Amino acid sequence: MPGVLPVAATAMTATVAVHMALVAFGNITDFGTNQQFVQHVLAMDTTFRDPDLMWRAIESPALQNTAYVAVIAWETVTAAVLLYATGLWFRALRRGPADRADRARAASTAGLVMVLLLFGLGFLAIGGEWFAMWQSSKWNGLDAAARNVLLALAALVVVHLPPGPRAHDTLRPGGP
């Protein structure tokens, strides 16, 4: 019977994997909706339009679309890495000892760090601060980005928790 932590790590990795797969799928099949989001954020056209910040704006549709396609590609690769990690976790659960979970842990870490880079660095830092997305009441994705960062961080913590003693290791003959 597998320990609780590997099961939790499998569940958390699978949750983020499916979420990222759906995000990528949505952006691919409904390209225009979030394309508008990226265009407005990069153009900074719904911010306070402070002249001291507007030099940062990217108004070129070609550059805006390139950035959006790069985001979709990153999301797709991230989903693939996390789905692969989920498969490794399931294999480790079937096979037994926790030391076999090293590959699953490494793959999960790579995928979860990719989520953190996209939503933490990409959306919170670059979109939120550099492009002043926080100033926009209409094209502000900071709450959604923060949810993604928190989900990935929680999963990363669970994936890296030490296994700890098993119940049978703490029981002694004659009582606990």
Side-chain angles (χ1 to χ4, degrees), residues 44 53 55-58 124-134:
M44 299 174 66
L53 298 179
W55 64 270
R56 300 175 183 178
I58 297 174
L124 293 178
I126 296 171
E129 293 302 320
W130 184 257
F131 291 105
M133 182 169 53
W134 65 270

Side-chain angles (χ1 to χ4, degrees), residues 35 39 42 58-68:
Q35 179 187 30
Q39 288 174 335
L42 295 180
I58 297 174
E59 296 173 334
S60 163
L63 289 176
Q64 293 167 343
N65 288 334
T66 299
Y68 183 45

Side-chain angles (χ1 to χ4, degrees), residues 31-90:
F31 189 86
T33 299
N34 281 330
Q35 179 187 30
Q36 289 179 31
F37 174 85
V38 170
Q39 288 174 335
H40 286 288
V41 169
L42 295 180
M44 299 174 66
D45 57 2
T46 60
T47 64
F48 302 160
R49 307 208 39 97
D50 183 334
D52 292 332
L53 298 179
M54 291 308 293
W55 64 270
R56 300 175 183 178
I58 297 174
E59 296 173 334
S60 163
L63 289 176
Q64 293 167 343
N65 288 334
T66 299
Y68 183 45
V69 169
V71 166
I72 293 171
W74 189 268
E75 291 166 345
T76 303
V77 172
T78 301
V81 169
L82 288 168
L83 289 167
Y84 173 71
T86 300
L88 291 174
W89 278 113
F90 277 116

